Amino acid sequence: MTVSSSLLLTVVYATVTGNSKEVAKRIESEAKSKDIPISVSVTSVADVDVDTLPLSSHLVYVTSTYGDGEHPEDAEDFWEWLEDGDRPSTLFANSHIGVFGLGDSSFSMFCESAVQVDERLRDLGATPLLPLGMGDEDHEEGIEAALALWLEGLWQALGAKDKGGDDTPDAVFSCTPCEAPSVDAPPPGYEYVQLTHSEVITPATATERPAYMFHMDLGQTSLEYETGYHLRILPRMPDTAVQCLAKRLDLDLDSYITVQATSTTAVPEGLSEPHTLRDVLGLYLDIAAPVTKSFLKGLIPFASDATEKDTLMHMASKEGAERFHTEIIEESVQCFELCRMFPSVSVPLEHLIELVPANRARLYSIASSPLLHPREVQLVVRTLGWETPSGKVKQGLCTGYLADLKVEDNPMLAVQITPSPLQPPPDPMTPMALVGLGCGVAPFRAFMQHRQALHQEGVQQGACTMYFGSRKRAEDALCIDEFEAWEKQGLLRYVTAFSRDQPQKIYVTHRMKEDAANLWKGLGEEDGFFGYCGPSGRTPQDITAIIKGALVSEGGLSEGEAEERYRHLSDRGLMVLEAW
């Protein structure tokens, strides 16, 4: 298509964990490197003015998919407005649109919220700039595999090309030295809680993937929670990463700065207030984020060595895709490491703040119930680690951060508490079937504390079956003593599958197939509740198929009737799969 020499691009994002916001900011950042002037307006869907949105000549919508094909909570009002049948079919007739979704292909409703918005905008007269993009968290490169190609298509559709050359771009932020604040406030929207207890709950022999139990005191905070809620933790970057980057860029970590905007680009949340550079690099910017081509391109103007500049340009090009994949993606290279790999790159702080993604919270299921622990949250967390092809050992950012905390240091963590669809049904007589794999046991430990509290109050409750799966009972049967004790109290039926404790692998899916009659009784004869928490991949699909199979084999339903029954439970919030 042909566009004018000056273009306004409206970017709206709907997010759960912040990933969609980072994609939106990336669009804004990349627009500055194009050969035509593009003015980008980035807005959260929660702040969208629906009266003026249809006036947008060029509109991009970026959204994640929550739960089983649901729109993020911040997009619910917008979607209700958009799908209203009274909207005229020409409402968006003057808009050229692009939609990008973030999701997990192991779910049948992969990127469903993006699919729905894309279809609805077209129904309302919008002209697509390019096909719907769908970023897959389950891909070996994550959403980047689809996002990079989709962004290329977006700029091509807008008639925009890279400027070329290596001129240093104008900074959109400025950093001003300042005095220390009188109070050390948490990041906006977060509150500080204290870690009061930390212990390894796997045996000493389980050295590969230790799991921890963490207790955090809500103290005098305003934070409250319900059984099944999530704790969002904003991790600190490893001190080694902060020190490395500060040394490379000759920064005094103890100095205070404030950040101001020199353009229409919004200052990253919280950075307009005074902070030490230690906090800027360690708490507000994700300097340990995986390197993207966008970040790599952003470093090119700051490389003073010709060979290094050529290498960066090659890896950022289509011709260098294989090298980028081998040396960057497969090696899990992080932003701070890329600066170390290219010694001649010296990025001014104001440019670094634009190039590096904002730090984002990591989501954990709370493993306690407020009925027993009203002012404390407990977590069950397994550390995440892997080895790259070259032999480098990598560690998950937040799990590593938590594991390294020392209770004696009185550490304070920046957290939020958010609702979850994985909550006990309101009626305690509702039968439940629960599946927890590994650390997926966490929310169901909270469920059982909830049931224990009701039991102590004399409340009658429906039947509950818990299917738990891990590799070996002796090494990673998390919280098994507690669950066996609850079973003795009659609070649940506890079914386990330890895949490597016998020659033939046995998984929870095998146990569920053996238990088809019980599944039919709870989910076919009654409107029971089913909850899953565990890894993504094939398991959620297999579990869904097993449930539908039980409705057919034990209940005599046709496949169509079983599908309709499953959807009935799902629509009522009784079928909840939470995968990561």
Side-chain angles (χ1 to χ4, degrees):
M1 62 173 289
T2 301
V3 297
S4 64
S5 59
S6 182
L7 185 148
L8 175 61
L9 181 63
T10 301
V11 181
V12 178
Y13 65 87
T15 188
V16 176
T17 63
N19 287 334
S20 295
K21 182 178 180 179
E22 286 305 316
V23 172
K25 287 174 59 182
R26 180 164 164 184
I27 294 171
E28 181 183 30
S29 178
E30 287 196 11
K32 298 180 178 68
S33 67
K34 301 307 173 184
D35 61 351
I36 62 173
I38 303 176
S39 177
V40 181
S41 171
V42 176
T43 309
S44 165
V45 68
D47 299 325
V48 161
D49 183 346
V50 294
D51 292 326
T52 61
L53 190 65
L55 302 178
S56 305
S57 61
H58 298 86
L59 172 64
V60 167
Y61 190 82
V62 184
T63 182
S64 58
T65 294
Y66 186 54
D68 190 16
E70 301 164 21
H71 293 261
E73 186 177 0
D74 62 352
E76 289 177 354
D77 289 344
F78 171 73
W79 175 243
E80 183 178 349
W81 171 83
L82 191 66
E83 70 170 345
D84 190 322
D86 291 335
R87 303 283 166 238
S89 60
T90 57
L91 183 62
F92 283 88
N94 295 319
S95 298
H96 295 83
I97 64 156
V99 179
F100 187 83
L102 295 78
D104 187 323
S105 62
S106 65
F107 285 88
S108 59
M109 308 296 280
F110 175 50
C111 288
E112 180 63 19
S113 59
V115 171
Q116 291 179 355
V117 171
D118 185 62
E119 290 181 349
R120 183 57 178 157
L121 288 174
R122 294 179 190 222
D123 289 343
L124 295 176
T127 301
L129 285 164
L130 71 169
L132 169 68
M134 294 191 287
D136 184 6
E137 293 282 2
D138 199 37
H139 191 278
E140 62 174 342
E141 295 181 24
I143 66 167
E144 185 65 23
L147 177 59
L149 292 174
W150 186 83
L151 285 173
E152 287 182 11
L154 174 65
W155 302 127
Q156 183 177 358
L158 294 174
K161 300 178 181 179
D162 287 339
K163 290 178 182 176
D166 54 6
D167 292 338
T168 302
D170 294 332
V172 298
F173 302 123
S174 64
C175 302
T176 305
C178 65
E179 298 296 322
S182 57
V183 178
D184 181 21
Y190 292 84
E191 296 192 50
Y192 281 133
V193 299
Q194 184 176 0
L195 178 67
T196 58
H197 180 74
S198 170
E199 67 172 315
V200 177
I201 59 173
T202 41
T205 53
T207 56
E208 284 187 24
R209 302 185 305 156
Y212 291 76
M213 177 77 73
F214 299 106
H215 295 232
M216 299 174 192
D217 180 19
L218 300 183
Q220 302 303 310
T221 71
S222 64
L223 297 172
E224 296 181 347
Y225 73 107
E226 299 293 337
T227 302
Y229 272 27
H230 290 144
L231 187 73
R232 293 164 55 92
I233 300 176
L234 192 67
R236 279 191 173 272
M237 302 296 119
D239 191 56
T240 51
V242 174
Q243 295 281 357
C244 172
L245 194 55
K247 184 177 180 180
R248 279 283 293 106
L249 304 179
D250 194 25
L251 300 175
D252 177 7
L253 293 175
D254 294 320
S255 61
Y256 283 83
I257 66 162
T258 58
V259 180
Q260 298 85 34
T262 62
S263 68
T264 57
T265 302
V267 173
E269 198 168 17
L271 287 185
S272 58
E273 300 298 322
H275 295 289
T276 62
L277 286 175
R278 189 181 308 278
D279 277 353
V280 172
L281 299 183
L283 190 59
Y284 286 86
L285 300 181
D286 191 356
I287 63 173
V291 168
T292 63
K293 281 195 174 183
S294 178
F295 179 75
L296 190 147
K297 288 178 181 179
L299 296 186
I300 293 173
F302 304 103
S304 58
D305 180 84
T307 301
E308 290 186 7
K309 187 184 294 288
D310 288 344
T311 300
L312 288 168
M313 293 177 68
H314 176 66
M315 286 199 294
S317 68
K318 289 184 178 180
E319 294 73 22
E322 183 175 347
R323 183 174 181 182
F324 178 79
H325 180 81
T326 301
E327 297 183 17
I328 304 298
I329 299 298
E330 289 187 354
E331 289 300 312
S332 304
V333 176
Q334 298 161 294
C335 289
F336 80 94
E337 292 177 314
L338 192 70
C339 293
R340 185 171 57 190
M341 290 168 60
F342 295 88
S344 79
V345 172
S346 183
V347 188
L349 181 60
E350 56 268 22
H351 286 281
L352 187 74
I353 291 171
E354 180 185 5
L355 292 175
V356 174
N359 192 12
R360 59 181 179 83
R362 272 59 171 178
L363 215 62
Y364 295 94
S365 296
I366 296 176
S368 56
S369 169
L371 297 186
L372 293 185
H373 305 280
R375 299 309 298 160
E376 178 185 76
V377 293
Q378 301 168 3
L379 301 182
V380 174
V381 177
R382 189 186 294 280
T383 56
L384 174 65
W386 66 97
E387 186 175 315
T388 71
S390 69
K392 294 179 181 178
V393 177
K394 295 285 185 172
Q395 188 176 39
L397 176 62
C398 198
T399 59
Y401 163 66
L402 291 171
D404 289 342
L405 292 174
K406 307 297 181 186
V407 172
E408 56 268 26
D409 294 335
N410 298 316
M412 305 297 288
L413 293 82
V415 306
Q416 298 172 334
I417 288 178
T418 56
S420 160
L422 191 56
Q423 295 180 246
D427 183 356
M429 287 302 296
T430 302
M432 294 193 293
L434 313 172
V435 177
L437 302 185
C439 281
V441 74
F444 303 129
R445 181 178 183 268
F447 274 45
M448 294 314 303
Q449 288 190 3
H450 182 92
R451 288 174 67 83
Q452 179 183 341
L454 294 181
H455 177 71
Q456 291 170 353
E457 294 173 3
V459 176
Q460 189 175 2
Q461 300 177 77
C464 176
T465 298
M466 172 72 191
Y467 303 92
F468 174 74
S470 66
R471 296 185 304 172
K472 296 184 178 181
R473 178 189 174 100
E475 292 187 6
D476 50 11
L478 305 181
C479 308
I480 191 168
D481 292 341
E482 291 180 292
F483 279 91
E484 289 180 341
W486 283 318
E487 184 175 37
K488 289 180 181 179
Q489 294 178 50
L491 296 178
L492 85 160
R493 176 169 160 261
Y494 189 47
V495 181
T496 59
F498 302 108
S499 60
R500 301 187 185 181
D501 274 352
Q502 60 283 312
Q504 182 180 1
K505 287 186 171 62
I506 298 176
Y507 299 105
V508 289
T509 48
H510 295 114
R511 298 303 190 205
M512 290 179 68
K513 285 181 180 179
E514 296 167 357
D515 213 24
N518 185 59
L519 291 173
W520 161 252
K521 182 177 180 181
L523 301 175
E525 293 182 349
E526 300 183 61
D527 278 358
F529 176 89
F530 179 83
Y532 167 82
C533 187
S536 57
R538 285 203 52 83
T539 302
Q541 296 180 31
D542 292 342
I543 285 175
T544 297
I546 289 169
I547 292 172
K548 293 175 183 177
L551 298 177
V552 172
S553 65
E554 303 300 317
L557 304 184
S558 67
E559 290 186 0
E561 290 170 333
E563 182 67 40
E564 184 177 343
R565 176 65 184 167
Y566 183 92
R567 181 50 53 188
H568 165 77
L569 295 173
S570 181
D571 289 344
R572 295 191 60 191
L574 295 172
M575 189 70 60
V576 183
L577 281 73
E578 187 172 282
W580 23 264

